[in-house]
Amino acid sequence: MPELVFFSGTMDCGKSTLALQIEHNRSARGLQGMIFTRDDRAGEGKLSSRLGLVTDAVEVADDQDLYAYVVVHLSQGGRADYVIADEAQFLAPGQIDQLARVVDDLDIDVFAFGITTDFRSKLFPGSQRLVELADRVEVLQVEALCWCGARATHNARTIGGAMVVEGAQVVVSDVNQPENIGYEVLCRRHHRRRMTAATAHASALSPDVLPIAPV
């Protein structure tokens, strides 16, 4: 039976790499897929991974009906043996419903990939709807690591290397940009303490302030 599967995890856990691998495996067997994406780091209409792999995709607009798009594609003689939706956290809840309809009404597998929570540890609306509707939710097993070496479970937004907890939910950027808006994965402990790699390094370099009694 066709399924709606949600592959979830933090940043740096290989979501887009897995999406590209699924595309490669199925296309190598003669299947044809349709790829949707939103706000990819490589630019409009691209699905890319941090490993440097990239392929073309359909850039999803705010009000786009994904079910209708697939139906029009099929009615014009196109094929869609499966659908991949990357950066699914940026999709509207209604668009997730449309992907579920692709599975139920068109008998097409849909593989969605996305981050579950934002930099404030709040669910993205698209991810929340996927958790509610998906036939399966797969947490990716490639563990991203916090700067301390512990398993990273939270996404953090940084400005100048310092963690921030206010601002718009969606600000497209990338990791390793401490001079501007950037993103970093942290363990829960250091997310709660708002301690990023940069601030931890600064703390480690601070001079000893313990009082020293005169001899």
Side-chain angles (χ1 to χ4, degrees):
M1 293 291 292
E3 290 184 306
L4 172 60
V5 185
F6 180 33
F7 294 93
S8 179
T10 62
M11 296 180 300
D12 296 338
C13 72
K15 296 181 300 301
S16 296
T17 301
L18 179 57
L20 288 161
Q21 185 67 53
I22 288 177
E23 160 66 13
H24 170 75
N25 290 350
R26 280 161 174 72
S27 62
R29 298 295 181 267
L31 301 176
Q32 295 183 21
M34 179 173 291
I35 303 175
F36 293 114
T37 191
R38 178 80 188 260
D39 296 330
D40 188 272
R41 68 182 70 83
E44 184 173 334
K46 298 293 181 182
L47 164 57
S48 68
S49 78
R50 299 191 195 284
L51 299 181
L53 305 173
V54 63
T55 192
D56 292 330
V58 177
E59 184 75 17
V60 178
D62 289 339
D63 57 352
Q64 186 169 359
D65 187 324
L66 303 185
Y67 175 79
Y69 188 96
V70 176
V71 168
V72 170
H73 175 76
L74 295 174
S75 66
Q76 293 177 345
R79 280 181 60 184
D81 300 308
Y82 58 93
V83 170
I84 291 173
D86 196 34
E87 306 293 355
Q89 72 273 7
F90 296 145
L91 299 180
Q95 290 172 321
I96 303 302
D97 285 82
Q98 294 157 12
L99 291 177
R101 190 179 177 193
V102 169
V103 176
D104 297 339
D105 294 359
L106 303 179
D107 291 331
I108 296 173
D109 282 312
V110 174
F111 306 103
F113 300 81
I115 298 169
T116 307
T117 57
D118 64 16
F119 69 102
R120 302 164 299 184
S121 299
K122 303 295 184 181
L123 286 168
F124 281 101
S127 298
Q128 178 179 335
R129 192 59 178 148
L130 275 164
V131 171
E132 293 166 347
L133 290 183
D135 296 292
R136 287 188 290 126
V137 177
E138 300 282 353
V139 178
L140 297 190
Q141 298 303 309
V142 177
E143 291 188 353
L145 298 179
C146 178
W147 59 264
C148 69
R151 178 173 177 264
T153 55
H154 289 64
N155 305 298
R157 179 181 295 169
T158 62
I159 296 181
M163 180 176 159
V164 296
V165 293
E166 296 181 354
Q169 186 175 53
V170 179
V171 176
V172 179
S173 184
D174 205 346
V175 296
N176 302 320
Q177 297 184 25
E179 72 283 356
N180 202 345
I181 295 178
Y183 291 92
E184 183 177 344
V185 288
L186 301 172
C187 64
R188 185 182 65 236
R189 174 182 297 153
H190 288 124
H191 191 275
R192 289 180 59 246
R193 295 177 180 175
R194 303 185 188 181
M195 185 175 289
T196 66
T199 56
H201 179 67
S203 176
L205 294 179
S206 297
D208 188 358
V209 295
L210 292 177
I212 300 177
V215 177

